[in-house]
Amino acid sequence: MYRTIPLALMLSIAAPAIASADVISDRQDRQAERIEHGRNTGSITWTEGIKLRAEQNRIARTKAAMESKGYLTRSDRAKLAEMQNQASKNIRAESRDGWHRLWGLPRVGK
């Protein structure tokens, strides 16, 4: 019985850290989907898509560097959230800026 209490305590402490990493990854996936949706509909041009994907790659590299120590601190999560907030604003701005792929032309690039 005494062995289950420390194990349960360790799991309850580790669960929020694991959950926060999943939230960050899920949000990153949703933002990538938004970029691809914009590229498919033509509301995000090829060059805008390149810039937005580069921003997503910077966030992913920053997250990997922060996770290299095995966990994310509260300040790490806050910095990643701020980076993702800015990326979300950029995706929204680029999809609504009036630059569109002409409907008759096929999608070019990734």
Side-chain angles (χ1 to χ4, degrees), residues 4 7 9 23-25 29 42 44 68 75-76 84 88 99 106:
T4 59
L7 180 62
L9 181 63
V23 168
I24 293 168
S25 296
D29 292 341
I44 294 178
S68 66
S75 63
D76 291 344
Q84 287 180 326
S88 182
W99 289 93

Side-chain angles (χ1 to χ4, degrees), residues 28-46 48-49 52-53 91-92 94-96 99-101 103 107 110:
Q28 190 110 6
D29 292 341
R30 284 193 310 272
Q31 287 180 353
E33 288 171 6
R34 287 174 56 201
I35 294 169
E36 286 309 306
H37 177 68
R39 288 286 292 127
N40 288 333
T41 62
S43 64
I44 294 178
T45 64
W46 180 60
E48 292 170 345
L52 293 172
R53 281 191 214 94
I91 294 167
R92 182 180 175 101
E94 293 296 351
S95 66
R96 295 172 182 239
W99 289 93
H100 297 283
R101 181 181 76 236
W103 286 104
R107 178 180 161 174
K110 290 187 174 183

Side-chain angles (χ1 to χ4, degrees), residues 40-69:
N40 288 333
T41 62
S43 64
I44 294 178
T45 64
W46 180 60
T47 54
E48 292 170 345
I50 290 172
K51 292 175 191 175
L52 293 172
R53 281 191 214 94
E55 185 176 31
Q56 292 297 311
N57 289 335
R58 275 193 304 275
I59 294 169
R61 284 193 310 270
T62 302
K63 180 180 175 231
M66 289 177 175
E67 285 180 332
S68 66
K69 61 183 174 273

